[in-house]
Amino acid sequence: MKARIIDSVDVLKIVDLLRAQGREVIAPFRGRGNDTYFDTVTSENRDDVQIHFANPSYPPKRFVLPHIEQMMKFHRSDGKIDMEPTYEHPPRAIFGIRSCDVAGISHLDRFYLDREFRDIYYEKRRQNLFLVNVVCTDPARDIGENCFCMCADTGPAAREHFDLQLMDLGMGQFMAVAGTTAGQTLFNEPIFRKGTPAHVERRREILGEARKRFKTTTSWFPATVRYVSQDKILDSTWEEIGKRCMECGGCTYVCPACTCFTVSDRQTGPDEAERVRIWDSCALAGFTRMAGGFNPRRAVHDRRNRRFFRKLAHYFIQRELSMACVGCGRCVSVCHGDIGMPSVVEMLRRATAERALPSAAEKASPSVAEVDKNEPVRQ
Amino acid sequence: MAQKLTTCTFCGAGCGIYLETHDNRVIGAYPSRSHPTNAGRLCVRGWHVHEVASSPDRLKKPLLRQNGELHEVTWDEAIDFVAARLLEIRRRHGPDAIAFLSSPRCSNEESYLMQKLARTIVGTNNVGHGAGVYCNNSINVLLDMLGIAASTNSINDLANSEVIMVDGVDLNRQLPTIAGWVIRAKLNGARLIVIDMRRHRVAENADLFLQIKPGTEVALYGAMAKVIVDRGLANLPFIKAHCDEYEAFLEYALSGDLQKSARACDVPAESIEAAAISFAKAGSAALLYSTGVESRGKQSIQAMVNLVLLTGQIGKKGAGLFPLTEQNNLQGVCDMGMLPDRLPGYLPVTDSAARAAFAKAWNAPIPAAPGLDADDVLNDRGQGRVKAVWLDRYDPISTASYGDTRCLGGCDLVVTQHLFRTGLTEFAHVVLPTTAFGEERVSFTSTERRIQLAEKVIDPAAGPMAAWEQLVRLAQAMGADWKYSSSEQIMEEIAGVIPFYSGVSYENLAREYGRQWPCTKERPLGTPRLFEDGPDDRKFSFAPLHYASPLSTVSSDYPLMLVFGHSLYYWHQNVLINHSETLKREHRLLLLDYPGGFVEISTDDAEQLQIRDGQKIRLRAATGSAVSTARVTSEVRNGAIFVPYFVQQLRSQLIQENVNGSSLIPVRVERDPA
């Protein structure tokens, strides 16, 4: 991959360049208090673009999969109904997308583009999207309380799936890495210059240091993936988790790797209607309700079970080529009952490990312990 | 695109929420991390605000009924018509023939103007909000006993509570953000005590769950008071310094009987004892209940305040009373005086000094006799005297247990302000389209007394007008010299007449995250916690109760107690929910399974009665009977049948008249309704 150096004072000129290309550039800004959000860059707010900032809860997946999206319009006249698909895919760039979110978009790419059915709405938006990843290097400003991208191996520096990657080397310089030819063409601009081996070494040092500066949130995935895939989790554990769920749907809405949606038709006028696609959530009781009333996941603990199976089971990891968790920590921030991924992973690991330990009674009669260890064969 | 911080207007929590807009449409919604109340979280309603705001079935033009049909007219035509009719009705039948009813979702500004119009222009105290009876029990008790009718602490103060007691409110469904604080406090070591006849989500996390028989709260709290006094756990220094009527209360408390109460409530005596001791001994204990539950009578609220005073659990970090308002502006609507017997700021209309002060401020006389509230008007306790009703965002046909439309059907004038056509539209003579959330800048007051702005983020379509502006136009058409050019100006006036709002201005509210009242000129940053220095200008007051026999008891003929209350998916029948696909689906989950409505019966009782889930049953009471469908669930306790709020007809079928306070009805179940 090609790499260049750019002075810190020139970094926002990349925003200008992208806007000059006719793109809507979406970048991070500060809101009230410590809030941050992604919003459109205009000439009024361009100087307020943040580079080091706490990743906001509202995920950038909405730029490829909107929270609500019109898919088609219907018009009735003379007894006929005309249907017209409506696509909205302006050329866009996200400046400052974090490595975890880059992994999230790549996960969604695999889901929406690389399988049997190619989602045309997603495709059109994705093709027009240019990603400028900024590596998280500042423990005070970039790395949040809930971040655990290292456990998901998606950060702090993405290895691929970005067009351009920027990393603060300190001393007034950033390193820029091109991930695609589109990114590389920017390097023709005079604000970029060639780097030296010293710069590469500096990057390595900073990344090494950043990796040590994550806070207390961890999510030990490997054993959990195994337990979930092998159906070793007891119902009672899911019930413990379900008790704490307020069924808000937040975890699925903010998750960069969650894909579910519902589709709805609604009348917009006497002879007009529209079809919209809206994010949906397996956290909600109505998610699996079928016509006729049967609902296989009516109980809240069955829905929790479903979510984490979808996130962690080996079957899905194989299918999507990545785990459906990028370690961004948003589910931790939005959860009322503290059952985001890290807490659930810990509960699953602990419950399963405790279950594996023989009790005193079992130690006394080995035959009982033997029976316990025999698990029925499962699919 | 644009991002704007605003306040969610679903429930009384008042969460900080950002609306994302593009091309004059709301396209997204997400939480504010820094907001002190929700700290980065939302509930399922908040996560779907963008869907609701962008719904296409909004009313666009005023409608006037001509020849039996509603026709579109101009604003001038509609307002002039209403003004002329109101003046005529007043001339013929007197000012008390007219009533103004609002929803607890109305903004502070429109609520303030509505009661001002009613009092100064029409000349009546017939003003009320749709959560009427139930809520006003709480207001009167709190004003009597504490001096202030509102939560004493901030919601996030629950993180500091060692003990949290939740009585009779399904937090997960009604106020999920608050449920979250409770659960997280428990995860951090707080002791959670839940009192409820239904096993709801928060109850499943309780350290102590007292699943009491319906209507036995007074007995329960009586027993707890006895335990506390017997064990010497009463907070005597606090009581001596700050409370009146202790001797009378003590006499009552000592007459309590733990075993007798345990039998009456049908919970183990040890649990009652443990709950009492926990609450009393805790360094900080919080007590949460809902002001909007109709089966909660006055005495049961007094009993809770007694407990708080007995133990001194008020005015400190993590210790306080939370009379929760389930709708987003129930607190504000009451603060603004949408009460038939109280002026803005809660002064009684019967207080001549208060009337004089408002008469001076408003330059008009104030009627002295308390008026009718929503419940009175809609159940025609005015006995045909009410001829005109103005309803703001309030659809009693669909929302409350007023399936009975006697009064409205008999009115000469029914005017409704709303966003959509509703069940009420059939009875309306005039329909006035209002602007929606996000289309106007107005204020709301949450359950923690936080006055907050809901911002304007998009321009409304041509046609709808802000509700407050409609009231200004009406006032002018009726001859009053009202000049309000903005909602901000209305708040300036409110700050001038309500002492605990005196420091409020839009500029002050917009600086951080609103302000918690009292927000005065001396305390412009507001007051997160009340009573840190004891009560203001008075003492707290115990309420000595009497062990009266309960209003209703079961018998062998009628062995089950029917309870009306708030339930799963009862989000106040919010018409807005019907305009969001996902919320509609969730809200209707049970309704689709039980299309004719349902009543909840416990698995044990169902087994005993040999009733299956989904079976039609007849409920027979001494005064009537009704047919419904059984939903068999383990959430309900044995011996009780729970009726969710939205099954309107049941109450009137079971008891031929709507008797105030009869939210507990002894019934028996018959299996084969003929």
Side-chain angles (χ1 to χ4, degrees), chain A residues 32 34-35 253 264 280, chain B residues 20 32 34 48 512 581 585:
Chain A
R32 188 83 54 89
N34 292 327
D35 294 342
Y253 297 142
S264 154
D280 202 349
Chain B
E20 183 173 70
S32 162
S34 306
H48 291 271
E512 290 177 279
E581 279 316 305
R585 179 188 76 195

Side-chain angles (χ1 to χ4, degrees), chain B residues 204-261:
Chain B
E204 282 177 1
N205 291 275
D207 295 297
L208 272 175
F209 177 36
L210 303 170
Q211 196 173 15
I212 57 173
K213 265 189 164 158
T216 58
E217 290 88 2
V218 175
L220 175 72
Y221 283 91
M224 288 203 279
K226 175 75 160 49
V227 167
I228 290 169
V229 165
D230 275 353
R231 301 265 185 137
L233 294 174
N235 190 332
L236 293 172
F238 172 88
I239 293 168
K240 189 157 176 208
H242 300 305
C243 303
D244 280 336
E245 300 289 327
Y246 181 57
E247 274 73 49
F249 171 75
L250 186 59
E251 201 184 307
Y252 157 78
L254 289 169
S255 70
D257 184 328
L258 176 62
Q259 297 300 334
K260 193 167 155 190
S261 287

Side-chain angles (χ1 to χ4, degrees), chain B residues 226-556:
Chain B
K226 175 75 160 49
V227 167
I228 290 169
V229 165
D230 275 353
R231 301 265 185 137
L233 294 174
N235 190 332
L236 293 172
F238 172 88
I239 293 168
K240 189 157 176 208
H242 300 305
C243 303
D244 280 336
E245 300 289 327
Y246 181 57
E247 274 73 49
F249 171 75
L250 186 59
E251 201 184 307
Y252 157 78
L254 289 169
S255 70
D257 184 328
L258 176 62
Q259 297 300 334
K260 193 167 155 190
S261 287
R263 283 193 300 274
C265 302
D266 193 24
V267 297
E270 305 80 65
S271 303
I272 300 178
E273 201 169 35
I277 294 171
S278 263
F279 197 88
K281 275 188 158 170
S284 55
L287 177 49
L288 286 66
Y289 73 95
S290 166
T291 58
V293 180
E294 51 281 8
S295 50
R296 175 130 250 157
K298 183 173 159 184
Q299 283 212 314
S300 79
I301 302 173
Q302 288 172 316
M304 284 188 291
V305 186
N306 280 338
L307 176 67
V308 168
L309 295 179
L310 182 62
T311 53
Q313 297 286 10
I314 190 169
K316 337 178 255 192
K317 209 160 132 179
L321 182 66
F322 290 81
L324 298 170
T325 54
E326 292 184 12
Q327 295 93 338
N328 71 307
N329 206 31
L330 180 52
Q331 185 66 51
V333 156
C334 296
D335 293 347
M336 295 299 118
M338 276 303 293
L339 299 164
D341 55 348
R342 293 188 189 274
L343 295 163
Y346 297 101
L347 295 166
V349 298
T350 48
D351 179 339
S352 53
R355 281 202 314 278
F358 274 94
K360 183 152 179 247
W362 289 342
N363 201 25
I366 314 293
L372 302 170
D373 69 15
D375 191 49
D376 294 332
V377 169
L378 296 167
N379 287 311
D380 201 19
R381 292 200 201 90
Q383 282 145 354
R385 285 199 302 266
V386 173
K387 305 284 184 210
V389 185
W390 173 291
L391 302 109
D392 181 4
R393 297 183 208 270
Y394 180 34
D395 175 13
I397 306 300
S398 316
T399 53
S401 41
Y402 313 118
D404 191 344
T405 54
R406 247 184 326 209
C407 166
L408 290 175
C411 278
D412 295 336
L413 178 67
V414 175
V415 183
T416 165
Q417 296 172 289
H418 221 304
L419 300 178
F420 308 104
R421 281 178 175 262
T422 65
L424 184 57
T425 312
E426 294 312 303
F427 296 88
H429 299 95
V430 186
V431 180
L432 302 174
T434 50
T435 46
F437 174 60
E439 295 174 356
E440 54 174 354
R441 191 179 204 216
V442 285
S443 73
F444 299 95
T445 305
S446 77
T447 195
E448 56 171 6
R449 296 169 280 109
R450 189 180 293 274
I451 312 160
Q452 303 189 91
L453 288 170
E455 296 285 0
K456 179 173 182 195
V457 301
I458 51 174
D459 291 316
M465 188 190 291
W468 66 262
E469 202 183 330
Q470 296 174 21
L471 290 162
V472 174
R473 293 258 209 126
L474 176 66
Q476 290 165 346
M478 290 177 79
D481 186 26
W482 279 19
K483 290 187 183 63
Y484 299 99
S485 56
S486 69
S487 51
E488 185 165 3
Q489 222 185 326
I490 303 170
M491 181 50 81
E492 282 169 22
E493 184 175 312
I494 292 170
V497 299
I498 300 182
F500 49 94
Y501 275 64
S502 67
V504 178
S505 67
Y506 274 24
E507 186 268 324
N508 190 5
L509 296 179
R511 240 183 273 152
E512 290 177 279
Y513 302 101
R515 295 290 179 216
Q516 289 167 279
W517 62 253
C519 172
T520 59
K521 303 244 187 302
E522 296 76 40
R523 299 186 76 140
L525 300 182
T527 315
R529 195 177 297 128
L530 298 179
F531 306 132
E532 284 185 296
D533 301 314
D536 315 320
D537 303 331
R538 55 163 279 175
K539 287 198 163 188
F540 296 128
S541 182
F542 281 94
L545 304 177
H546 323 284
Y547 276 118
S549 36
L551 283 166
S552 347
T553 33
V554 296
S555 59
S556 49

